Amino acid sequence: MNSVQFTAQTSSNGVVERDFTVGGVTGALWSPTPGTGRAPLVLMGHGGGNHRKSPAMLGRAQRLVAGGGFHVATIDAPGHGGRPRTEHDEREIAVMQQAMAVGEPVGPIVQRHNAHLAERAVPEWQATLDALQELPEIGTDGPVGYFGLNMGTAIGVPLTAIEPRITAAVFGLFWPESLARAARQITVPIEFALQWDDEHIPCESGLTLFDAFASKDKTLHANAGRHKELPRFEADSAVHFFVRHLGGAVTSPA
Amino acid sequence: MNSVQFTAQTSSNGVVERDFTVGGVTGALWSPTPGTGRAPLVLMGHGGGNHRKSPAMLGRAQRLVAGGGFHVATIDAPGHGGRPRTEHDEREIAVMQQAMAVGEPVGPIVQRHNAHLAERAVPEWQATLDALQELPEIGTDGPVGYFGLNMGTAIGVPLTAIEPRITAAVFGLFWPESLARAARQITVPIEFALQWDDEHIPCESGLTLFDAFASKDKTLHANAGRHKELPRFEADSAVHFFVRHLGGAVTSPA
């Protein structure tokens, strides 16, 4: 089994940020200031074309550490954040950019390529979780959450479907065709975000994916606005969700 | 113009509760401990068969005062909370109970009777708001919110549609047929709750009513579960919504 290799560390506003690798996969871990004891772990999956320390990841990590006292981990998806792209990745990205350039629907291509990336990313997440749980401040007996939208949902849904250590998850902004089957295997509490006026994912498609989750405890948050207009306050809502389900403590107003 | 007549006062946990009347209408006002200056006002409408100090009203008022520092006011709807029922009210309630007893849909009767009650309640709310704004701790220049589900939505939607002093509202759990027209006149931020497995209000009906609001800033919260299983955490979410839109301060973890 691969262990966590820390490669850099910074600290600000009561949050410690550590870059790490597990096997060849690059990741980042945000934690409360040391000495606060064990805390639950939230895994975060970034969106397509982004990386482990994109602004969205940094903002959500800050909120989760400050608002819930959690450890928060991200890893770069295959072909993202400096990780090498395969020839297959390059071809698919070219097809996607071509579709966008001529105004054709990107949904079918995004779904196909994200499903392919998920096949590679799910075992990487499981190996990363194995390694993170070896850290004394995380441990093997604490609860684990998953938080990812867009491609973070395309990877997180199949991951959560087969990974019993994940006991609560926040998903959103994806199509049902490639994910409904895995969603029907998920029974842990979920919160699911969609945009009511999404120009890429028809509202009905998002509702269909939400409906597919087998979870008895599930909440849909649908906001007016287009695909990229998800309100910032949904990140605060996710913190409250994980505090309810992972047992963190709200340590500051959020 | 009628003024507020206070009839009783109690205090606990930093919340002052005052019963009042405006004209012949009985109400309750919850406030932070005196001396904290002016604060925004949230009007709350109770559900059918309930009253101004039902457990749901008390719980939400406590959260709104503690979490946002707001003033919170309720009034008894016509025929509720000891206010006299008309012969018409008695007939409609008998029809409703008969339908429930034999397992027939109550939706059409509830909508018809609640629309009738709203015609009487909307001017009562306006007179109450006039009177409450004469109180020095509320004033005429502060923001006003409205929070009501079920019959509280049946009354609150037509009220908000014609009352420019209400600048943010939380609604939910109602049918579109009798409310969509008024909803299309509402442009202030709203949060709307529905139950995904509601046995009285089909999920699609709730989505149709949410869609009708003209608000650019609107959020749907759909939770798994039946009509009466709305999760308690939606009350906390409403507090956060009003803090965002009325400018209160979160004074304790919520």
Side-chain angles (χ1 to χ4, degrees):
Chain A
M1 177 185 129
N2 292 305
S3 62
V4 173
Q5 305 292 322
F6 289 109
T7 56
Q9 172 166 342
T10 61
S11 176
S12 71
N13 295 322
V15 180
V16 179
E17 175 186 298
R18 287 177 285 180
D19 287 292
F20 67 81
T21 62
V22 171
V25 177
T26 42
L29 178 63
W30 294 269
S31 302
T33 305
T36 49
R38 286 194 178 185
L41 172 66
V42 178
L43 312 176
M44 293 198 310
H46 63 77
N50 253 307
H51 60 86
R52 72 185 187 281
K53 295 205 284 188
S54 65
M57 296 298 102
L58 294 172
R60 292 173 197 167
Q62 171 68 39
R63 281 174 158 90
L64 285 161
V65 175
F70 302 122
H71 297 283
V72 182
T74 61
I75 57 175
D76 289 319
H80 287 73
R83 294 187 62 197
R85 289 180 182 168
T86 65
E87 281 181 37
H88 178 81
D89 294 338
E90 299 285 6
R91 273 200 308 276
E92 289 288 75
I93 289 163
V95 172
M96 209 178 314
Q97 288 171 338
Q98 172 66 12
M100 279 195 271
V102 299
E104 280 178 5
V106 295
I109 310 161
V110 172
Q111 289 184 73
R112 180 181 70 201
H113 188 50
N114 282 9
H116 169 76
L117 291 178
E119 284 180 25
R120 293 149 67 187
V122 167
E124 292 175 352
W125 264 123
Q126 294 189 290
T128 302
L129 182 52
D130 291 344
L132 289 170
Q133 287 191 319
E134 293 295 311
L135 298 174
E137 65 270 37
I138 294 178
T140 56
D141 53 355
V144 178
Y146 180 90
F147 181 8
L149 309 175
N150 297 295
M151 189 180 77
T153 284
I155 291 170
V157 168
L159 172 65
T160 303
I162 64 155
E163 181 46 79
R165 288 175 289 184
I166 297 174
T167 56
V170 176
F171 299 125
L173 301 175
F174 214 79
W175 298 261
E177 288 80 0
S178 58
L179 290 184
R181 180 185 294 208
R184 279 192 283 270
Q185 298 167 24
I186 292 177
T187 57
V188 298
I190 64 143
E191 190 165 280
F192 186 90
L194 68 80
Q195 288 295 92
W196 198 249
D197 312 294
D198 195 311
E199 69 277 25
H200 297 301
I201 308 168
C203 178
E204 295 70 25
S205 293
L207 295 172
T208 298
L209 180 50
F210 172 70
D211 195 55
F213 289 94
S215 313
K216 274 182 65 178
D217 182 341
K218 63 179 178 179
T219 302
L220 171 73
H221 285 188
N223 285 282
R226 290 161 65 87
H227 184 73
K228 295 215 170 174
E229 294 176 341
L230 183 78
R232 291 273 175 98
F233 59 73
E234 289 297 345
D236 296 318
S237 178
V239 174
H240 294 294
F241 171 85
F242 286 119
V243 167
R244 287 201 302 276
H245 293 292
L246 304 182
V250 174
T251 55
S252 73
Chain B
M1 178 185 128
N2 292 303
S3 63
V4 172
Q5 305 292 324
F6 289 110
T7 56
Q9 174 167 341
T10 62
S11 176
S12 71
N13 295 322
V15 180
V16 178
E17 176 186 298
R18 287 176 286 179
D19 287 292
F20 68 81
T21 62
V22 171
V25 177
T26 42
L29 177 64
W30 293 269
S31 301
T33 305
T36 47
R38 285 195 178 183
L41 172 65
V42 178
L43 311 175
M44 293 198 310
H46 63 75
N50 252 308
H51 60 87
R52 73 184 186 281
K53 295 207 282 188
S54 65
M57 296 298 101
L58 294 171
R60 292 173 197 168
Q62 170 70 39
R63 281 174 159 91
L64 285 161
V65 175
F70 301 122
H71 297 284
V72 183
T74 61
I75 57 174
D76 289 318
H80 287 73
R83 295 187 62 199
R85 288 179 182 168
T86 64
E87 279 182 36
H88 178 81
D89 293 339
E90 298 285 6
R91 273 198 309 276
E92 290 288 75
I93 290 162
V95 172
M96 209 178 313
Q97 288 171 338
Q98 173 65 12
M100 280 195 271
V102 299
E104 280 176 6
V106 295
I109 309 162
V110 171
Q111 289 184 73
R112 180 180 70 202
H113 188 49
N114 283 9
H116 169 76
L117 292 177
E119 283 179 26
R120 294 149 66 187
V122 166
E124 292 175 353
W125 264 123
Q126 294 190 290
T128 301
L129 181 52
D130 291 343
L132 289 169
Q133 288 191 318
E134 293 295 311
L135 297 174
E137 65 269 38
I138 294 177
T140 57
D141 54 354
V144 179
Y146 181 91
F147 181 7
L149 309 175
N150 296 296
M151 189 180 77
T153 283
I155 291 170
V157 168
L159 172 66
T160 303
I162 64 156
E163 180 48 77
R165 288 175 289 183
I166 297 174
T167 57
V170 176
F171 298 125
L173 301 174
F174 213 77
W175 298 261
E177 288 81 1
S178 58
L179 290 184
R181 181 185 294 209
R184 279 192 285 269
Q185 298 167 26
I186 292 177
T187 57
V188 299
I190 65 145
E191 189 165 281
F192 186 90
L194 67 79
Q195 288 294 94
W196 199 249
D197 312 293
D198 196 310
E199 70 277 26
H200 297 301
I201 307 169
C203 178
E204 294 72 23
S205 293
L207 294 172
T208 299
L209 180 50
F210 172 70
D211 194 54
F213 289 93
S215 313
K216 274 183 65 179
D217 182 341
K218 62 179 180 180
T219 303
L220 171 73
H221 285 187
N223 285 283
R226 291 161 64 87
H227 184 73
K228 296 215 169 176
E229 294 176 340
L230 182 79
R232 291 275 174 97
F233 58 73
E234 289 297 346
D236 297 318
S237 178
V239 173
H240 293 295
F241 171 84
F242 287 119
V243 167
R244 286 200 303 276
H245 294 292
L246 305 182
V250 174
T251 55
S252 73

